[in-house]
Amino acid sequence: MKAIRLRRPFGQERFEHVDIADPGAPGAGEIRVRLHASSLNAHDLAVVLGQLPVEDNRIPLSDGAGVVEAVGAGVQEFAVGDHVVSTFFPRWLAGGPGPLAAGFATTPGDGIDGYACEVAVRPATAFTHAPRGWSHLEAATLTTAGLTAWRALVVAGGLKTGDTVLTLGTGGVSVFALQLAKAAGATVIATSSSDDKLARAAALGADHGINYRQHPEWSKEVLALTGGRGVDHVVEVGGPGTLPQSMRSARVGGHIALIGALTGFADMVPTAELMLRQQRVTGIGVGSREHQLDLVRAVETTGLRPVIDRSFALDDLADAFRLQQAGGHFGKIGIDYSMASGKAA
């Protein structure tokens, strides 16, 4: 079967298109999935750029959506023909993040091979059902970005109607957070360096937009919009370069979901200010299979659909990563395995 492997030295130009052995029939407790779509995440880009240590010849992509072709002995949750979507931590089924002691050792596209291939045979617990009525491309956005936003706001944040949420940027996690917050009846303040992207955020329901290039001290704008109180939740994807302003944007006792490090990894947390403001900072690393099951039920109930900026053929994976690295997208970048090469949509 066809697959893409990542070769050292890593980078977008180091994808090798290969034919590998078909994984065959599923064993006990496994399912065989014909893959139809994936989507790109910051984690995938870090792997491709060599910022995360992975083995040579790794098949990339953590997200995978497709159709069950066969089920192994003992599998009762799935049947042939079911539409499914992968999980980011296949061994974190429920409860607290105890199984994460090994880091990304079991994460597809990192510690194990990912879904840049035609077929995968994995334990049935490495997938959940996809939301009813969603395309494979839409379902593939849930594994990482959708679940991260869900855990940040709902699981860790306890989001409720009437809360105020601040989202940073307009990447996949932030746009999902905007949509989930609005579905819950929250007020959303979105930030971006682009007025065009802020207009798109407003079309999705964002109540306020702040261009952080025009307002470098954007926390002051957030406080002005909230009458000096600050927001209840911050979806913090920037890291050390934005965390101080996120803290000043959140209310006393507010919640900051620390998700990404787009500004780097330097440890410069203003601890005195954090204690004075009595804020809660939660490190968010995607979520469990149980969290994903809850998310699937939520999007089916609310009618939420993901925002996919552009889609690429699997053969054009390098082009998709170039777009991601340039930061020109709004929402998610999809990989549609049915598309012909050179026909991005």
Side-chain angles (χ1 to χ4, degrees):
M1 69 173 182
K2 294 181 179 179
I4 294 178
R5 292 194 182 277
L6 183 61
R7 300 299 308 275
R8 297 181 187 272
F10 298 139
Q12 289 100 320
E13 308 304 328
R14 298 294 293 166
F15 291 125
E16 184 178 25
H17 298 251
V18 296
D19 284 316
I20 61 176
D22 187 282
E30 295 180 332
I31 59 176
R32 174 185 168 98
V33 177
R34 174 71 57 175
L35 295 160
H36 289 268
S38 185
S39 71
L40 302 190
N41 304 284
H43 186 95
D44 298 303
L45 181 61
V47 168
V48 167
L49 296 180
Q51 296 169 351
L52 292 173
V54 300
E55 293 181 1
D56 197 17
N57 290 319
R58 175 65 71 226
I59 295 176
L61 301 184
S62 61
D63 302 359
V67 179
V68 176
E69 289 191 329
V71 299
V75 174
Q76 298 181 343
E77 185 175 357
F78 300 106
V80 173
D82 283 352
H83 288 205
V84 295
V85 58
S86 65
T87 60
F88 189 86
F89 290 115
R91 295 184 185 175
W92 184 14
L93 304 184
L100 305 190
F104 300 119
T106 63
T107 296
D110 190 327
I112 63 174
D113 280 337
Y115 295 108
C117 57
E118 293 182 299
V119 175
V121 173
R122 302 287 167 88
T125 51
F127 289 87
T128 69
H129 287 281
R132 290 188 302 270
W134 280 33
S135 69
H136 296 302
L137 197 61
E138 290 175 319
T141 66
L142 287 183
T143 298
T144 306
L147 188 54
T148 298
W150 173 261
R151 186 173 167 222
L153 289 177
V154 179
V155 180
L159 177 70
K160 61 184 184 298
T161 300
D163 281 354
T164 304
V165 175
L166 173 66
T167 61
L168 305 189
T170 53
V173 172
S174 296
V175 171
F176 256 117
L178 160 59
Q179 293 177 285
L180 290 169
K182 293 307 299 180
T187 297
V188 176
I189 302 172
T191 70
S192 174
S193 62
S194 163
D195 287 338
D196 288 341
K197 289 183 178 180
L198 289 175
R200 294 184 67 179
L204 286 176
D207 299 276
H208 308 284
I210 301 171
N211 187 315
Y212 59 77
R213 292 199 186 281
Q214 298 173 9
H215 302 282
E217 302 243 352
W218 40 267
S219 58
K220 295 180 179 179
E221 303 299 314
V222 173
L223 292 176
L225 289 169
T226 57
R229 177 179 181 271
V231 299
D232 298 289
H233 308 269
V234 181
V235 180
E236 167 57 75
V237 299
T242 54
L243 182 58
Q245 290 215 56
S246 289
M247 290 168 52
R248 292 163 198 149
S249 297
R251 66 171 173 82
V252 172
H255 177 240
I256 301 170
L258 185 59
I259 294 165
L262 297 179
T263 62
F265 295 93
D267 295 323
M268 298 174 63
V269 178
T271 52
E273 189 171 359
L274 181 64
M275 289 185 290
L276 180 65
R277 299 179 66 80
Q278 301 182 63
Q279 292 166 336
R280 181 166 59 96
V281 179
T282 307
I284 300 295
V286 196
S288 70
R289 186 175 191 267
E290 183 178 54
H291 295 150
Q292 185 161 308
L293 290 169
D294 291 340
L295 171 58
V296 169
R297 284 191 288 269
V299 298
E300 288 179 339
T301 301
T302 61
L304 184 154
R305 304 299 278 260
V307 176
I308 301 172
D309 188 276
R310 290 181 66 186
S311 300
F312 292 80
L314 183 59
D315 284 345
D316 297 328
L317 189 58
D319 291 334
F321 274 113
R322 276 189 281 269
L323 174 63
Q324 182 189 21
Q325 190 173 17
H329 59 291
F330 180 95
K332 293 293 291 177
I333 298 172
I335 308 298
D336 186 344
Y337 295 11
S338 67
M339 286 181 62
S341 178
K343 294 185 178 180

